Amino acid sequence: MTPEPPKAPVEPAAPPAAPKEPPSSIAKEPVEPKTPVAPKWADDWRQQIAGDDKKELERLGRFASPADVFKSLREAEKKLSEGVKPKTKPGEKATAEEWSEYRKANNIPETVDDFVKAIVLPDKRVIGDDDKPLVAAFSERALKKGINPADMAEMVDEYYAIQEEQQAQLAEKDSEFKTTNLSALKEEWGGDFKANINSMRPYFEAVDQSLFDNLMGGRLSDGTKVGDNANIVKFFVAKSLAENPAATVVPAGANQIETIQTEIKAAEARMRDDRTAWFKDKPAQERLQKLYEAQEKLTSK
């Protein structure tokens, strides 16, 4: 047998490589830069802002830098702005819930009664009882349109201002119209003016006690008062005197003729018994003449 050749010696295996160190990170092991970097903010910026307020200093500890404080402020402003921004008015197809939400966000009451109560006029003015139905009708429409009571109050106040201006202008025109026509009647009637005017009332009151005031206080189609129109007054005076010829001499009544006759007898007795004084009394003579004329008109009817 041939002997086997000797085996080559086996070299020992190389030792395992040492594990590589993971790269360093700022969070784990800050690495100092080769060139020093000047900080943007002072190390005590929190103390400078908070001062002696420990709570504020603790609160500032939540922020890494003043820049983060500013960002937080801007975000808060944005949220606040979005929170107070009025909601967009619902469209034509909006639901009742959407309208309710809109009214709630804009301080608009849900009912007409509450809406009217929420209308506050300036200068302690209040809505008159005669105007409340009109304001309620407009408030109902305002609710449907999403109008705020404060805006409605401005419109109501403007409405009153316009009314007051119109009333002032009308009063001025009434005064001018009355003065012009009054002067014309006084010039035409002279001393009979008051008696002629007084003769009209009994003529109307024979029909209805309130007819005279209601008619004379009314207005014509041109806006002027009936009782201030000279032509109308003359027309009714003529009518009243035709109905009662003695209306300017003695008050209307069932005993006008008797009243006139009694006064005539007294005047004639004075004229007979004291002629000197009688002929000096011109007003008494004129009165007797009117009594004679009224007596003749009444007896000839």
Side-chain angles (χ1 to χ4, degrees), residues 3-76:
E4 293 181 358
K7 295 181 179 180
V10 178
E11 294 182 3
K20 293 183 179 181
E21 290 289 336
S24 179
S25 65
I26 294 176
K28 181 177 179 182
E29 184 179 353
V31 178
E32 294 293 335
K34 295 180 180 180
T35 304
V37 179
K40 287 185 177 181
W41 321 106
D43 292 340
D44 64 343
W45 64 268
R46 295 180 181 84
Q47 288 80 3
Q48 292 182 32
I49 296 175
D52 297 331
D53 194 326
K54 294 182 178 180
K55 289 185 177 181
E56 291 300 325
L57 181 62
E58 182 180 349
R59 186 176 181 184
L60 286 170
R62 305 172 187 173
F63 302 97
S65 71
D68 291 335
V69 177
F70 178 74
K71 290 178 181 178
S72 176
L73 173 64
R74 291 295 295 163
E75 290 176 0

Side-chain angles (χ1 to χ4, degrees), residues 112 116 119 127 131-140 152 156 160:
V112 174
V116 173
I119 297 175
I127 300 172
D131 295 326
K132 284 182 179 179
L134 179 63
V135 174
F138 275 102
S139 296
E140 185 177 0
M152 188 67 180
V156 173
Y160 278 129

Side-chain angles (χ1 to χ4, degrees), residues 265-278:
K265 287 180 181 180
E268 288 176 342
R270 182 187 172 198
M271 180 175 59
R272 182 178 59 252
D273 298 338
D274 191 1
R275 297 180 66 82
T276 301
W278 173 260

